[in-house]
């Protein structure tokens, strides 16, 4: 992990996320807190990316940031996290990964009404059970997230 906590105040109170709410623990009690694995897998040989995960921690009320570069990345976000944002950068030139239309087989770049490219960002109020992003392209041709797998938590059981 490469957590760099910031000292910003919590932007909003934590949502009611079933098992994502913090519970008091006593020293030595049980196993470590459940986590949400967020992964980035490069599908192309030349495709390297930087994944940046930011979230608020319900235990401390602080905003935390994790960032790592490579072809296979994993960030374990605690179940006490909320207001989660995942973004991607190209590690060599520092540019942000641009969003594509994943419903179209050609996956064209997405742009706004002014013709500016839309930067890829995924947000979650509560941590899902599991997230995996698949990256394609290169710094030369442009990197993009071609596929996303998300498994939601069963909030009724607090899982």
């Amino acid at each position: 992990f490469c957590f760099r906590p910031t000292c910003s105040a919590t932007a909003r109170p934590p949502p009611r996320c079933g098992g994502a709410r913090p519970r008091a623990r006593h020293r030595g009690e049980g196993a470590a807190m459940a986590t949400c694995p967020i992964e980035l897998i490069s599908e192309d040989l030349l495709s390297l990316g930087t994944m940046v995960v930011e979230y608020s921690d319900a235990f401390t009320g602080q905003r935390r940031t994790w960032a790592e570069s490579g072809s296979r990345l994993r960030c374990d976000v605690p179940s006490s996290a909320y207001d989660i944002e995942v973004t991607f950068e190209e590690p060599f030139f520092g540019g942000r990964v641009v969003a594509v239309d994943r419903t179209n087989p050609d996956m064209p770049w997405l742009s706004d009404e002014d013709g500016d490219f839309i930067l890829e960002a995924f947000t979650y109020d509560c941590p899902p059970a599991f997230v995996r992003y698949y990256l394609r392209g290169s710094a030369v041709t442009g990197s993009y997230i071609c596929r996303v797998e998300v498994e939601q938590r069963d909030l009724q059981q607090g899982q």
Side-chain angles (χ1 to χ4, degrees), residues 59-151:
F59 282 121
T60 65
Q62 291 185 334
R63 194 84 178 142
R64 296 193 176 268
T65 301
W66 177 96
E68 196 73 41
S69 297
S71 59
R72 292 186 68 89
L73 307 173
R74 178 180 169 134
C75 174
D76 289 314
V77 174
S79 61
S80 62
Y82 65 97
D83 193 20
I84 303 162
E85 181 178 48
V86 183
T87 58
F88 308 91
E89 299 173 358
E90 295 175 341
F92 299 111
F93 301 110
R96 292 273 307 271
V97 171
V98 176
V100 296
D101 180 358
R102 284 181 282 280
T103 64
N104 183 331
D106 294 331
M107 294 194 194
W109 306 111
L110 294 177
S111 57
D112 61 19
E113 58 277 351
D114 295 327
D116 296 324
F117 289 123
I118 297 173
L119 301 177
E120 191 74 89
F122 295 87
T123 58
Y124 307 92
D125 287 335
C126 303
F130 175 82
V131 182
R132 180 176 288 152
Y133 303 100
Y134 293 89
L135 182 72
R136 283 191 185 158
S138 69
V140 176
T141 62
S143 297
Y144 59 97
I145 302 298
C146 64
R147 190 164 40 114
V148 180
E149 296 174 357
V150 179
E151 181 182 326

